[in-house]
Amino acid sequence: MAAHNDLGKWGEDLAADYLRDKGYVIIDRDWKSGHHDLDIVAKEDETLVIVEVKTRRNRLFGNPEEAIDYKKRQSLQSAINHYVKSHRIGNSVRFDIISIVGNIGDKPEIDHIIDVALL
């Protein structure tokens, strides 16, 4: 596995642990259906929470969450709609971002951005 893939997997594992520690229930990880994919699907109380995880070694090229450009937001919106319809979700849905900065083995900086508008 390439180093950037290892970093991404490490970040997603940290994000899932972080969410569990905050009382979220993880429902799906790395959900894929065709061209649609979501990093983490969780529940907080009765709210379905879709979480995009962005991990970077440092902030030389900006904050990790800045990598979620308009095209990525459109893709996420489509994936969320597909997930909600295919799983017949009736409760409220929220989109969050977890931004992680650090290296594998170090103590990372974790920023949880709650209820982000996609478009």
Side-chain angles (χ1 to χ4, degrees):
M1 188 179 289
H4 71 277
N5 290 336
D6 290 341
L7 185 71
K9 172 83 168 81
W10 174 72
E12 287 185 21
D13 289 345
L14 284 173
D17 290 344
Y18 169 89
L19 290 168
R20 279 188 206 95
D21 290 347
K22 298 289 183 189
Y24 291 70
V25 175
I26 306 298
I27 297 172
D28 271 313
R29 288 195 51 196
D30 296 320
W31 177 83
K32 290 176 180 32
S33 177
H35 295 290
H36 303 291
D37 67 280
L38 300 171
D39 291 339
I40 298 174
V41 179
K43 276 192 94 167
E44 181 188 39
D45 300 321
E46 294 303 313
T47 302
L48 187 75
V49 183
I50 308 296
V51 182
E52 177 71 8
V53 181
K54 288 295 177 191
T55 307
R56 299 289 183 268
R57 292 187 197 320
N58 55 52
R59 296 182 197 280
L60 287 176
F61 299 102
N63 294 320
E65 66 272 13
E66 293 169 0
I68 305 173
D69 60 12
Y70 182 75
K71 186 174 179 178
K72 178 64 176 177
R73 287 174 185 260
Q74 284 182 309
S75 175
L76 284 165
Q77 184 67 60
S78 178
I80 292 167
N81 288 343
H82 186 74
Y83 187 92
V84 167
K85 287 178 185 175
S86 67
H87 288 79
R88 295 186 169 99
I89 305 296
N91 41 334
S92 62
V93 179
R94 186 179 85 210
F95 176 68
D96 292 1
I97 299 171
I98 293 186
S99 167
I100 298 174
V101 178
N103 287 299
I104 297 172
D106 294 342
K107 183 172 172 31
E109 295 176 42
I110 299 175
D111 187 21
H112 185 184
I113 307 162
I114 297 172
D115 202 13
V116 177
L118 276 172
L119 301 174

